[in-house]
Amino acid sequence: MATRSVALVSFLLAAVLVALGLTAAWSIATVNRSTETTAEATAALEAIAHLQRAVAGEAFAEAGYRRAPSAEARKRVETAITEVDRAVREASEVGNADDRIMLSYLQSVNDRYVAEVRRSLDDTDTGAPRNDRVAGPALDAIQELIDAAVRDHQRQVAVTRQQQRELLFQLAMVVISVLASSVATLVLCWSLLISHNRRLAAQAAEHERRSLHDALTGLANRDLLFRTIEKAFRAPNAAFSLLYIDLDHFKNINDTHGHPAGDRFLVEVARRVHASVRTTDLVARIGGDEFAVLSSTAADARQLACRIVAAVQSPIALDGTEVIPSLSVGIAVAPDDGRDCSALLHAADRALYLAKHAGRGRITGLRR
């Protein structure tokens, strides 16, 4: 179970990292494509707008020359023509396929216009009659083409920017959704880890409890008793008592009624002993039919023993037969009977031996 939980958490965390990585990569690629598209549309619009200004400058330079012919005015016309050629080339480099088709046609129309302008200017230089405007329809056609291209690219830029805003909004929603899912997954993983740790802690606590308690009666076992005695001795001015309790003639109960009945008998005796002591006292089962009570005080050890014997001596029904338990109790008091765990245990065992040797069913201490 623990392995499956760890594997599930690892899988979910890996899935979150992969989702975040893929989302980041997709987001970067999408934004880059959108930015490139917007930049291309803007560059094409700027190039066409520049061409529009160049053509207008070409017409303006020609008109200026016709109003006041001079070498300087003629030079301005040639410069304007060169600027139009350069603007056409630049627009072709950044424009799309439709732009290049339009620009190719515009270039041919402009070439005819320029040829007619130069011929007219040559006539003007030689004193031939002047026209106010040369190749008017061709120039109008050029300007109409450029105006239409500018309007088209303005629409494209507006549409591209609107699409980019919508894309960024959708992208934000996707990122928020992925982040929300990631947070939810991380919370789930955290919950699973906490649950797993709590389960391990509970298992460890249960294992600790079982290792320190008797499986049949649920009382403390020898290990817990010894640990508690050692802890009690570490307290300043330690003074407490230890009672060793033995069930008299318990073997006869097992032989007569069987071991299952004997176990029930032990459980009931353990319950009665535990119910007759204080909450600060520790009751332990240290052997088959032997119990121990570690009392937090030394003054009333004999009264405690009497109370335990009285509580246990009520009849216990076993397979339709009532059996009256009999107890022998040995009392050892710290620090008088022992100044460490081993010495106190030996003293309590010695007192119990004296109680049983005196005829069983007795309470005996080493000190009268």
Side-chain angles (χ1 to χ4, degrees), residues 28 63 154 247 253:
I28 293 172
Q154 287 175 338
L247 277 171
I253 296 174

Side-chain angles (χ1 to χ4, degrees), residues 6-24 178-179 181-186 188-189:
V6 172
L8 177 59
V9 169
S10 301
F11 173 77
L12 290 175
L13 287 174
V16 168
L17 294 177
V18 170
L20 288 175
L22 292 176
T23 301
V178 171
L179 288 177
S181 300
S182 301
V183 169
T185 303
L186 289 175
L188 175 61
C189 291

Side-chain angles (χ1 to χ4, degrees), residues 241 243 276 278 295 297-310 331 363:
S241 57
L243 281 61
S276 62
R278 295 178 291 264
S295 176
T297 64
D300 61 348
R302 184 167 291 274
Q303 290 87 337
L304 175 61
C306 292
R307 189 164 66 247
I308 292 172
V309 170
I331 301 174
I363 300 173

